[in-house]
Short mmCIF file of all heavy atoms in Angstrom, two decimals:
data_model
loop_
_atom_site.label_atom_id
_atom_site.label_comp_id
_atom_site.label_asym_id
_atom_site.label_seq_id
_atom_site.Cartn_x
_atom_site.Cartn_y
_atom_site.Cartn_z
N TYR V 132 -109.54 -7.37 99.28
CA TYR V 132 -109.94 -6.13 98.60
C TYR V 132 -111.42 -6.15 98.25
O TYR V 132 -112.14 -5.14 98.48
CB TYR V 132 -109.11 -5.99 97.29
CG TYR V 132 -107.65 -5.52 97.48
CD1 TYR V 132 -106.63 -6.25 96.87
CD2 TYR V 132 -107.40 -4.39 98.20
CE1 TYR V 132 -105.31 -5.78 97.02
CE2 TYR V 132 -106.07 -3.93 98.36
CZ TYR V 132 -105.01 -4.61 97.76
OH TYR V 132 -103.76 -4.20 97.88
N ARG V 133 -111.91 -7.23 97.67
CA ARG V 133 -113.32 -7.35 97.30
C ARG V 133 -114.24 -7.16 98.50
O ARG V 133 -115.25 -6.49 98.44
CB ARG V 133 -113.64 -8.65 96.62
CG ARG V 133 -113.07 -8.77 95.20
CD ARG V 133 -113.76 -9.93 94.45
NE ARG V 133 -113.64 -11.18 95.16
CZ ARG V 133 -112.63 -12.06 95.00
NH1 ARG V 133 -111.64 -11.74 94.15
NH2 ARG V 133 -112.62 -13.24 95.61
N PHE V 134 -113.87 -7.76 99.63
CA PHE V 134 -114.69 -7.72 100.81
C PHE V 134 -114.86 -6.28 101.28
O PHE V 134 -115.97 -5.82 101.52
CB PHE V 134 -114.03 -8.57 101.90
CG PHE V 134 -114.75 -8.55 103.21
CD1 PHE V 134 -115.83 -9.40 103.44
CD2 PHE V 134 -114.43 -7.64 104.24
CE1 PHE V 134 -116.51 -9.38 104.67
CE2 PHE V 134 -115.12 -7.67 105.44
CZ PHE V 134 -116.14 -8.52 105.66
N TYR V 135 -113.75 -5.54 101.40
CA TYR V 135 -113.86 -4.17 101.88
C TYR V 135 -114.37 -3.18 100.84
O TYR V 135 -115.04 -2.22 101.19
CB TYR V 135 -112.47 -3.72 102.47
CG TYR V 135 -112.17 -4.48 103.73
CD1 TYR V 135 -111.32 -5.54 103.74
CD2 TYR V 135 -112.80 -4.13 104.91
CE1 TYR V 135 -111.04 -6.23 104.89
CE2 TYR V 135 -112.57 -4.84 106.10
CZ TYR V 135 -111.66 -5.88 106.07
OH TYR V 135 -111.42 -6.59 107.23
N ASN V 136 -114.11 -3.47 99.55
CA ASN V 136 -114.72 -2.66 98.49
C ASN V 136 -116.25 -2.79 98.54
O ASN V 136 -116.96 -1.76 98.43
CB ASN V 136 -114.25 -3.10 97.15
CG ASN V 136 -112.80 -2.73 96.86
OD1 ASN V 136 -112.28 -1.79 97.52
ND2 ASN V 136 -112.18 -3.38 95.92
N THR V 137 -116.75 -3.97 98.80
CA THR V 137 -118.19 -4.17 98.92
C THR V 137 -118.78 -3.41 100.09
O THR V 137 -119.84 -2.79 100.01
CB THR V 137 -118.56 -5.63 99.01
OG1 THR V 137 -118.00 -6.32 97.83
CG2 THR V 137 -120.06 -5.90 99.08
N ARG V 138 -118.06 -3.49 101.25
CA ARG V 138 -118.54 -2.79 102.38
C ARG V 138 -118.54 -1.27 102.19
O ARG V 138 -119.48 -0.55 102.59
CB ARG V 138 -117.61 -3.07 103.62
CG ARG V 138 -117.36 -4.56 103.88
CD ARG V 138 -118.54 -5.19 104.65
NE ARG V 138 -119.67 -5.48 103.80
CZ ARG V 138 -119.71 -6.40 102.87
NH1 ARG V 138 -118.65 -7.15 102.60
NH2 ARG V 138 -120.80 -6.58 102.11
N ARG V 139 -117.53 -0.78 101.53
CA ARG V 139 -117.46 0.70 101.23
C ARG V 139 -118.55 1.10 100.28
O ARG V 139 -119.19 2.15 100.48
CB ARG V 139 -116.08 1.05 100.64
CG ARG V 139 -115.82 2.54 100.51
CD ARG V 139 -114.43 2.79 99.85
NE ARG V 139 -113.36 2.12 100.54
CZ ARG V 139 -112.75 1.09 100.02
NH1 ARG V 139 -113.08 0.59 98.83
NH2 ARG V 139 -111.76 0.49 100.68
N GLN V 140 -118.80 0.30 99.26
CA GLN V 140 -119.88 0.58 98.30
C GLN V 140 -121.26 0.65 99.00
O GLN V 140 -122.09 1.53 98.72
CB GLN V 140 -119.92 -0.49 97.19
CG GLN V 140 -118.69 -0.43 96.25
CD GLN V 140 -118.57 -1.71 95.41
OE1 GLN V 140 -119.42 -2.57 95.49
NE2 GLN V 140 -117.51 -1.80 94.65
N GLN V 141 -121.47 -0.28 99.92
CA GLN V 141 -122.71 -0.30 100.64
C GLN V 141 -122.83 0.97 101.50
O GLN V 141 -123.92 1.64 101.50
CB GLN V 141 -122.82 -1.50 101.57
CG GLN V 141 -124.10 -1.58 102.39
CD GLN V 141 -124.03 -2.50 103.59
OE1 GLN V 141 -122.95 -2.92 103.91
NE2 GLN V 141 -125.18 -2.74 104.20
N LEU V 142 -121.77 1.40 102.15
CA LEU V 142 -121.84 2.58 103.04
C LEU V 142 -122.14 3.83 102.23
O LEU V 142 -122.87 4.71 102.66
CB LEU V 142 -120.47 2.70 103.70
CG LEU V 142 -120.29 3.94 104.56
CD1 LEU V 142 -121.27 4.02 105.71
CD2 LEU V 142 -118.82 4.01 105.11
N LEU V 143 -121.61 3.90 101.00
CA LEU V 143 -121.72 5.09 100.19
C LEU V 143 -122.87 5.03 99.18
O LEU V 143 -122.98 5.92 98.32
CB LEU V 143 -120.41 5.37 99.46
CG LEU V 143 -119.18 5.55 100.36
CD1 LEU V 143 -117.93 5.71 99.55
CD2 LEU V 143 -119.36 6.73 101.32
N SER V 144 -123.69 4.00 99.28
CA SER V 144 -124.70 3.76 98.26
C SER V 144 -125.82 4.80 98.24
O SER V 144 -126.53 4.93 97.28
CB SER V 144 -125.30 2.38 98.47
OG SER V 144 -126.05 2.37 99.73
N GLY V 145 -125.99 5.54 99.32
CA GLY V 145 -127.16 6.46 99.45
C GLY V 145 -128.33 5.82 100.16
O GLY V 145 -129.20 6.53 100.65
N ASP V 146 -128.30 4.50 100.30
CA ASP V 146 -129.32 3.83 101.07
C ASP V 146 -129.02 3.85 102.59
O ASP V 146 -129.94 3.65 103.40
CB ASP V 146 -129.46 2.35 100.64
CG ASP V 146 -129.93 2.26 99.20
OD1 ASP V 146 -130.68 3.11 98.76
OD2 ASP V 146 -129.52 1.32 98.50
N VAL V 147 -127.76 4.06 102.93
CA VAL V 147 -127.33 4.07 104.30
C VAL V 147 -127.13 5.55 104.75
O VAL V 147 -126.33 6.30 104.21
CB VAL V 147 -126.02 3.27 104.50
CG1 VAL V 147 -125.48 3.40 105.90
CG2 VAL V 147 -126.22 1.84 104.04
N LYS V 148 -127.86 5.89 105.79
CA LYS V 148 -127.82 7.27 106.29
C LYS V 148 -127.77 7.28 107.83
O LYS V 148 -128.25 6.33 108.50
CB LYS V 148 -129.02 8.08 105.82
CG LYS V 148 -129.17 8.18 104.31
CD LYS V 148 -130.38 8.91 103.89
CE LYS V 148 -130.50 9.01 102.37
NZ LYS V 148 -131.76 9.67 101.97
N PRO V 149 -127.24 8.33 108.45
CA PRO V 149 -127.26 8.45 109.95
C PRO V 149 -128.72 8.37 110.41
O PRO V 149 -129.62 8.86 109.78
CB PRO V 149 -126.63 9.82 110.17
CG PRO V 149 -125.87 10.16 108.97
CD PRO V 149 -126.59 9.50 107.80
N ASN V 150 -128.84 7.77 111.58
CA ASN V 150 -130.18 7.70 112.19
C ASN V 150 -130.26 8.61 113.38
O ASN V 150 -129.37 9.42 113.66
CB ASN V 150 -130.49 6.21 112.60
CG ASN V 150 -129.53 5.63 113.60
OD1 ASN V 150 -129.25 6.27 114.63
ND2 ASN V 150 -128.99 4.49 113.34
N ALA V 151 -131.43 8.50 114.08
CA ALA V 151 -131.63 9.47 115.22
C ALA V 151 -130.65 9.31 116.33
O ALA V 151 -130.35 10.32 117.04
CB ALA V 151 -133.09 9.24 115.72
N ALA V 152 -130.11 8.17 116.51
CA ALA V 152 -129.07 7.97 117.57
C ALA V 152 -127.79 8.69 117.20
O ALA V 152 -127.17 9.33 118.06
CB ALA V 152 -128.84 6.46 117.77
N HIS V 153 -127.38 8.61 115.93
CA HIS V 153 -126.23 9.39 115.48
C HIS V 153 -126.47 10.90 115.65
O HIS V 153 -125.58 11.58 116.19
CB HIS V 153 -125.95 9.11 114.02
CG HIS V 153 -125.53 7.72 113.68
ND1 HIS V 153 -126.34 6.83 113.07
CD2 HIS V 153 -124.34 7.04 113.90
CE1 HIS V 153 -125.73 5.66 112.91
NE2 HIS V 153 -124.51 5.79 113.40
N ALA V 154 -127.66 11.33 115.30
CA ALA V 154 -127.98 12.78 115.41
C ALA V 154 -127.99 13.22 116.89
O ALA V 154 -127.52 14.33 117.17
CB ALA V 154 -129.35 13.02 114.78
N ALA V 155 -128.41 12.35 117.79
CA ALA V 155 -128.45 12.74 119.20
C ALA V 155 -127.02 12.89 119.71
O ALA V 155 -126.76 13.84 120.51
CB ALA V 155 -129.20 11.65 119.98
N LEU V 156 -126.09 12.06 119.30
CA LEU V 156 -124.70 12.19 119.76
C LEU V 156 -124.08 13.48 119.17
O LEU V 156 -123.21 14.10 119.85
CB LEU V 156 -123.87 10.95 119.41
CG LEU V 156 -124.29 9.68 120.14
CD1 LEU V 156 -123.37 8.54 119.73
CD2 LEU V 156 -124.20 9.89 121.65
N ALA V 157 -124.41 13.84 117.97
CA ALA V 157 -123.95 15.13 117.43
C ALA V 157 -124.51 16.28 118.24
O ALA V 157 -123.79 17.27 118.54
CB ALA V 157 -124.37 15.27 115.97
N GLN V 158 -125.76 16.17 118.69
CA GLN V 158 -126.33 17.14 119.55
C GLN V 158 -125.60 17.25 120.88
O GLN V 158 -125.36 18.32 121.42
CB GLN V 158 -127.81 16.85 119.77
CG GLN V 158 -128.55 17.80 120.75
CD GLN V 158 -129.95 17.32 121.05
OE1 GLN V 158 -130.50 16.42 120.35
NE2 GLN V 158 -130.53 17.85 122.13
N LEU V 159 -125.24 16.07 121.42
CA LEU V 159 -124.52 16.05 122.69
C LEU V 159 -123.17 16.71 122.56
O LEU V 159 -122.70 17.46 123.45
CB LEU V 159 -124.40 14.60 123.15
CG LEU V 159 -123.75 14.35 124.54
CD1 LEU V 159 -124.51 15.08 125.65
CD2 LEU V 159 -123.63 12.86 124.83
N GLU V 160 -122.49 16.51 121.44
CA GLU V 160 -121.21 17.17 121.26
C GLU V 160 -121.36 18.64 121.10
O GLU V 160 -120.55 19.44 121.66
CB GLU V 160 -120.50 16.62 119.98
CG GLU V 160 -119.13 17.29 119.75
CD GLU V 160 -118.39 16.66 118.61
OE1 GLU V 160 -118.59 15.51 118.23
OE2 GLU V 160 -117.53 17.44 118.02
N ASP V 161 -122.42 19.08 120.43
CA ASP V 161 -122.68 20.51 120.36
C ASP V 161 -122.86 21.15 121.74
O ASP V 161 -122.45 22.30 121.98
CB ASP V 161 -123.99 20.76 119.51
CG ASP V 161 -123.77 20.53 118.00
OD1 ASP V 161 -122.59 20.49 117.59
OD2 ASP V 161 -124.76 20.36 117.33
N MET V 162 -123.48 20.37 122.64
CA MET V 162 -123.73 20.86 124.00
C MET V 162 -122.52 20.90 124.86
O MET V 162 -122.27 21.86 125.60
CB MET V 162 -124.78 19.96 124.62
CG MET V 162 -125.20 20.39 126.05
SD MET V 162 -126.33 19.25 126.88
CE MET V 162 -126.65 17.99 125.70
N LEU V 163 -121.63 19.85 124.73
CA LEU V 163 -120.49 19.74 125.60
C LEU V 163 -119.20 20.27 125.05
O LEU V 163 -118.22 20.51 125.80
CB LEU V 163 -120.29 18.27 125.99
CG LEU V 163 -121.45 17.60 126.74
CD1 LEU V 163 -121.18 16.14 126.96
CD2 LEU V 163 -121.71 18.30 128.10
N GLY V 164 -119.13 20.44 123.70
CA GLY V 164 -117.90 20.90 123.05
C GLY V 164 -116.73 19.98 123.31
O GLY V 164 -116.85 18.77 123.16
N ASP V 165 -115.58 20.53 123.71
CA ASP V 165 -114.36 19.74 123.92
C ASP V 165 -114.43 18.78 125.09
O ASP V 165 -113.54 17.96 125.25
CB ASP V 165 -113.17 20.67 124.06
CG ASP V 165 -112.82 21.40 122.74
OD1 ASP V 165 -113.19 20.93 121.70
OD2 ASP V 165 -112.13 22.46 122.79
N ASN V 166 -115.48 18.89 125.90
CA ASN V 166 -115.66 17.93 127.01
C ASN V 166 -116.25 16.62 126.54
O ASN V 166 -116.52 15.74 127.37
CB ASN V 166 -116.55 18.56 128.07
CG ASN V 166 -115.79 19.53 128.94
OD1 ASN V 166 -114.55 19.55 128.98
ND2 ASN V 166 -116.54 20.43 129.63
N PHE V 167 -116.52 16.54 125.24
CA PHE V 167 -117.14 15.31 124.66
C PHE V 167 -116.13 14.62 123.76
O PHE V 167 -115.42 15.31 122.97
CB PHE V 167 -118.33 15.70 123.84
CG PHE V 167 -118.98 14.58 123.04
CD1 PHE V 167 -119.96 13.80 123.59
CD2 PHE V 167 -118.56 14.29 121.77
CE1 PHE V 167 -120.54 12.77 122.91
CE2 PHE V 167 -119.13 13.23 121.05
CZ PHE V 167 -120.11 12.44 121.63
#
């Protein structure tokens, strides 16, 4: 429990945000729709 609680806290801390690679894949989905 402690191990995964710590991982979740880190993810939701505000210091961790999507980067340009994540944004590019969102753009690719926008382009391809259900084909992605």
